[in-house]
């Protein structure tokens, strides 16, 4: 089950007993990126599923079209022994207050991200199991991989084991949505939450976006064409990341030219230097001490003024306009998938 070189346990299909869900109704709250994938995969695995959505949700029609039962979150929780909370982090506390009266002894409260548990925005009753199965990809890939007979790697965590069977039940859930086909890594709510937030802010979303824009701006300011700057600093990012994804950083360097490898090895640390690393440590400290969580919660309570301003400024950056024009010229251009209003915040997680 484990490799001696790893510090955590990794679980596969043979480690999970899906029969633990045989006589259980699972309520999936939310039908966005992760919600629709979990609900459909569970149903295809023979699990009794009910989807919880507010009465005015526009997604209810999609649930019915997919052949699944839909009810309000409270009604769904009342019918279920296993409740998977897959609505956005920002509305989870309010939804939890709706379903809390319907949680009974021995029920399972399941999450795909630990934010609200770790930062005490949700205080679960002591008589229920609290677990996490977090697929490490967007929901459409969780669904696509399941349908193709493949799996999506995921994370497993147990925050509260009221029944003594929290972990086996979580593994059964992980198997039913296809994660144990690929492998499920055991972690904790704290570790998943803090590493996820740090990764998003310092590397996956914030760090990469700022690096791309800085490179683009440097080339354009030096007189190079916006089109060339876009290709070199943004378009080719996918090619490099794909190589890293497939075989690691070493495999990426094996695949590029010797010139590119030497340039990267000798100049990369001049950009991401000790000052950048110190900034990363500060970002991590703000995640660990709860400063970021408090800031984000307050931002939502104030109706997101800073978030909205920064988001609009990002969309207005020149690299976005140049990229939109260029992408429209190529055959591989595709329309982006529209997100449901009930969509869970996806991790490239990032996903």
């Amino acid at each position: 089950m484990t490799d001696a070189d790893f510090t955590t346990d990794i679980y596969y299909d043979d480690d999970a007993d899906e029969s633990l869900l045989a006589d259980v109704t699972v309520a999936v709250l939310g039908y966005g990126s992760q919600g629709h994938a979990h609900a459909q995969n569970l149903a295809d695995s023979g699990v009794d599923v009910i989807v919880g959505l507010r009465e005015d949700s526009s997604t209810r029609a999609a649930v019915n079209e997919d052949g699944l039962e839909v009810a309000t979150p409270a009604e769904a929780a009342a019918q279920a022994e296993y409740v998977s909370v897959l609505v956005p982090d920002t509305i989870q506390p309010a939804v939890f207050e709706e379903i809390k009266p319907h949680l009974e002894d021995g029920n399972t409260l399941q999450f795909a991200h630990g934010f609200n548990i770790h930062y005490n925005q949700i205080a679960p009753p002591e008589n229920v199991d609290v677990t996490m199965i977090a697929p490490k990809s967007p929901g459409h890939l969780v669904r696509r991989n399941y349908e193709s007979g493949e799996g999506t790697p995921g994370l497993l965590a147990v925050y509260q084991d009221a029944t003594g069977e929290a972990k086996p039940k979580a593994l059964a859930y992980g198997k039913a949505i296809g994660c144990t086909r690929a492998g499920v890594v055991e972690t904790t709510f704290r570790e998943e939450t803090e590493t996820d937030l740090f990764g998003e802010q310092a590397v996956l979303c914030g760090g990469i976006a700022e690096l791309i824009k800085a490179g683009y701006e440097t080339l354009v300011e030096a007189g190079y064409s916006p089109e060339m700057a876009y290709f070199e600093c943004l378009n080719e990012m996918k090619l490099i990341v794909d190589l890293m994804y497939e075989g690691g950083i070493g495999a990426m360097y094996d695949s590029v030219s010797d010139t590119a490898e030497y340039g990267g090895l000798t100049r990369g640390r001049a950009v991401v230097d000790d000052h950048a690393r110190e900034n990363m440590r500060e970002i991590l400290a703000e995640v660990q001490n709860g400063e970021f969580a408090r800031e984000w919660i307050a931002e939502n309570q104030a109706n997101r003024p800073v978030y909205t301003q920064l988001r609009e400024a990002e969309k207005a950056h020149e690299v976005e306009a140049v990229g939109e024009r260029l992408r429209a010229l190529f055959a591989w251009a595709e329309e982006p998938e529209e997100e449901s209003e009930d969509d869970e915040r996806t991790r490239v997680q990032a996903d």
Side-chain angles (χ1 to χ4, degrees):
M1 180 176 63
T2 62
D3 188 305
D5 293 334
F6 287 100
T7 59
T8 57
D9 289 339
I10 304 177
Y11 300 92
Y12 301 97
D13 276 353
D14 289 344
D15 301 305
D17 181 5
E18 206 170 336
S19 69
L20 292 174
L21 299 179
D23 299 316
V24 171
T25 296
V26 176
V28 175
L29 308 186
Y31 206 66
S33 176
Q34 291 292 328
H36 89 278
H38 288 225
Q40 292 180 39
N41 291 3
L42 286 163
D44 286 351
S45 293
V47 179
D48 183 29
V49 177
I50 181 170
V51 176
L53 295 173
R54 64 183 187 275
E55 291 184 344
D56 62 347
S57 172
S58 61
T59 315
R60 281 180 165 245
V63 178
N64 290 326
E65 290 173 5
D66 291 334
L68 298 175
E69 183 180 356
V70 62
T72 67
E75 292 167 343
Q79 297 181 45
E81 295 81 26
Y82 203 114
V83 181
S84 190
V85 184
L86 300 177
V87 294
D89 290 337
T90 51
I91 66 172
Q92 281 186 15
V95 171
F96 174 72
E97 291 304 315
E98 294 179 29
I99 69 171
K100 184 177 179 180
H102 304 287
L103 296 175
E104 299 180 351
D105 289 349
N107 284 180
T108 296
L109 192 61
Q110 164 83 29
F111 295 88
H113 181 45
F115 185 97
N116 285 299
I117 292 292
H118 179 55
Y119 291 118
N120 302 312
Q121 298 305 294
I122 290 177
E126 296 180 355
N127 62 340
V128 302
D129 293 336
V130 182
T131 60
M132 180 196 307
I133 289 291
K136 299 305 291 180
S137 84
H140 70 276
L141 289 180
V142 176
R143 180 59 179 161
R144 184 187 304 168
N145 290 341
Y146 179 95
E147 290 182 301
S148 67
E150 299 175 353
T152 301
L155 302 178
L156 158 73
V158 175
Y159 177 80
Q160 183 169 283
D161 188 1
T163 66
E165 295 184 342
K167 185 173 174 179
K169 288 191 290 184
L171 279 172
Y173 183 100
K175 184 174 183 177
I177 66 171
C179 286
T180 53
R181 295 176 183 176
V184 172
V185 179
E186 188 164 12
T187 183
T188 65
F189 271 66
R190 172 183 175 272
E191 184 175 57
E192 184 276 336
T193 302
E194 294 179 0
T195 57
D196 183 75
L197 293 175
F198 171 80
E200 291 168 347
Q201 295 168 26
V203 181
L204 303 175
C205 301
I208 285 180
E210 290 304 315
L211 185 66
I212 288 171
K213 289 187 294 182
Y216 173 89
E217 292 165 1
T218 300
L219 287 176
V220 172
E221 288 168 2
Y224 298 98
S225 71
E227 293 80 9
M228 287 300 298
Y230 174 86
F231 275 115
E232 291 302 324
C233 297
L234 193 154
N235 185 74
E236 293 196 24
M237 178 69 73
K238 174 177 168 28
L239 308 179
I240 296 302
V241 170
D242 283 349
L243 292 172
M244 291 182 181
Y245 177 82
E246 292 168 4
I249 294 174
M252 178 274 291
Y253 276 134
D254 288 341
S255 299
V256 300
S257 70
D258 292 348
T259 304
E261 181 178 8
Y262 179 75
L265 292 172
T266 58
R267 270 43 175 195
R269 285 181 176 268
V271 177
V272 184
D273 57 8
D274 288 341
H275 179 66
R277 288 177 173 80
E278 183 56 36
N279 288 339
M280 286 186 174
R281 294 186 189 100
E282 292 179 6
I283 289 171
L284 178 58
E286 291 177 356
V287 169
Q288 292 172 323
N289 64 25
E291 182 178 340
F292 171 78
R294 290 189 292 273
E295 178 185 322
W296 178 229
I297 292 166
E299 176 72 7
N300 280 279
Q301 291 172 341
N303 202 28
R304 300 186 172 189
V306 175
Y307 171 87
T308 302
Q309 180 181 7
L310 293 175
R311 199 165 189 261
E312 292 305 311
E314 193 77 358
K315 289 180 179 180
H317 193 282
E318 182 182 284
V319 74
E320 292 288 77
V322 172
E324 185 176 0
R325 292 198 304 269
L326 285 173
R327 289 191 298 270
L329 299 176
F330 296 100
W332 44 256
E334 296 180 357
E335 291 294 326
E337 292 187 10
E338 293 187 1
E339 290 187 352
S340 154
E341 64 184 90
D342 293 298
D343 202 7
E344 180 192 16
R345 179 188 57 79
T346 55
R347 290 163 269 133
V348 174
Q349 339 211 332
D351 53 85

